């Protein structure tokens, strides 16, 4: 029961998601592309595929040497119905791999903000039964155009496509549900140019309460995904 985790930056680890997978008895095969780890050619030996975030663009190979390989892996996982979870950049790559696209957004969405779950989320295998409004951490400037077959699961005031499902078992999540307090602090340090001064201070100050409020949601969502990876 090996779940592959593609990690693009040291600070963009799986955090709570990784913990949920381990609790469920899944072995993690973490490919750190920033260290040159190869991405598997296919998902035939995997019980799940997780693609984490990163500052690269899902629509460009520039500074993103593993992009083509990651897209090929995601396409293969979709063909084999291997469960997939893409977070932020990973969600954008999933959109591309499934026939949609990733595009530059109209500006950065960085900080704590609400997402609203759609009616389709109520019966979704990952997001069903959750509160219809969640305060999550956003950290992106790109967005996605969903493929026609995708189920639209969440939106925010800034960006319409915050969560989606492709097929029966592949999800893209734009917000960072996976982050614990250490992860939030690491983001604020690593990407300080995107959250300068008061914004970075606000993100850090609100982190204890916001992370605690999301703990139950993260446990449910990631626990459900881990259960599918078998």
């Amino acid at each position: 029961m090996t779940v592959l985790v593609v990690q693009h930056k040291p600070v963009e680890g799986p955090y709570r998601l990784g913990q949920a997978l381990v609790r469920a008895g899944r072995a993690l095969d973490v490919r750190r592309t920033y260290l040159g780890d190869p991405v598997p050619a296919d998902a035939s030996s995997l019980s799940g595929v997780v693609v984490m975030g990163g500052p690269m663009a899902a629509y460009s190979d520039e500074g993103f040497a593993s992009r083509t390989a990651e897209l090929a892996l995601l396409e293969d996982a979709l063909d084999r119905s291997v469960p997939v979870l893409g977070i932020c950049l990973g969600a954008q790559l999933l959109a591309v791999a499934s026939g949609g696209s990733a595009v530059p957004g109209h500006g950065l969405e960085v900080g704590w903000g609400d997402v609203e779950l759609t009616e389709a989320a109520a019966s979704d295998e990952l997001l069903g039964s959750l509160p219809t409004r969640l305060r999550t951490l956003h950290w992106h400037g790109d967005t996605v155009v969903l493929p026609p077959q995708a189920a639209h699961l969440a939106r925010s005031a800034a960006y319409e496509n915050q969560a989606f499902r492709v097929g029966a078992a592949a999800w893209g999540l734009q917000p960072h549900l996976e982050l614990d307090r250490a992860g939030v602090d690491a983001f604020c340090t690593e990407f300080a140019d995107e959250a300068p001064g008061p914004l970075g201070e606000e993100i850090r100050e609100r982190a204890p309460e916001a992370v605690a409020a999301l703990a139950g949601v993260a446990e449910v969502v990631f626990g459900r995904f881990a259960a599918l990876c078998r």
Side-chain angles (χ1 to χ4, degrees), residues 108-201:
L108 286 175
E109 184 179 29
V110 174
W112 299 104
D114 289 347
V115 294
E116 178 188 357
L117 300 189
T118 67
E119 291 185 8
S123 58
D124 183 71
E125 197 158 2
L126 284 198
L127 303 185
S129 78
L130 296 182
T132 57
R133 189 172 294 272
L134 303 169
R135 174 141 293 194
T136 63
L137 184 64
H138 302 274
W139 212 298
H140 69 107
D142 291 336
T143 188
V144 299
V145 177
L146 299 181
Q149 74 275 20
H152 178 219
L153 302 177
R155 61 173 59 90
S156 74
Y159 284 100
E160 177 68 13
N161 296 322
Q162 292 285 351
F164 62 94
R165 186 186 69 252
V166 179
W171 287 267
L173 301 179
Q174 191 70 66
H176 289 278
L177 292 179
E178 81 282 5
L179 292 179
D180 54 20
R181 287 180 61 181
V184 174
D185 188 67
F187 268 50
C188 289
T189 300
E190 179 72 14
F191 307 119
D193 59 324
E194 296 177 341
L199 176 57
E201 293 171 6

Side-chain angles (χ1 to χ4, degrees), residues 1-3 17-28 47 222-223 226-227 229-230:
M1 296 189 195
T2 298
V3 177
L17 170 55
Q19 295 163 14
L21 289 165
V22 170
R23 282 197 302 269
R26 311 304 183 237
L28 302 187
S47 62
F222 298 145
C229 296
R230 59 178 181 261

Side-chain angles (χ1 to χ4, degrees), residues 36-82:
D37 291 349
V39 175
D42 61 60
S44 59
S45 63
L46 302 173
S47 62
V49 174
V50 171
V51 182
M52 300 305 303
M56 305 82 104
Y59 46 81
S60 173
D61 291 333
E62 184 177 354
F64 196 175
S66 61
R67 188 184 84 100
T68 299
E70 292 182 41
L71 289 173
L73 174 64
L74 288 169
E75 290 171 7
D76 187 75
L78 289 168
D79 288 343
R80 297 177 187 272
S81 297
V82 173

Side-chain angles (χ1 to χ4, degrees), residues 70-103:
E70 292 182 41
L71 289 173
L73 174 64
L74 288 169
E75 290 171 7
D76 187 75
L78 289 168
D79 288 343
R80 297 177 187 272
S81 297
V82 173
V84 171
L85 183 56
I87 295 179
C88 201
L89 173 63
Q92 296 159 17
L93 289 166
L94 176 61
V96 175
S98 58
S101 60
V103 296

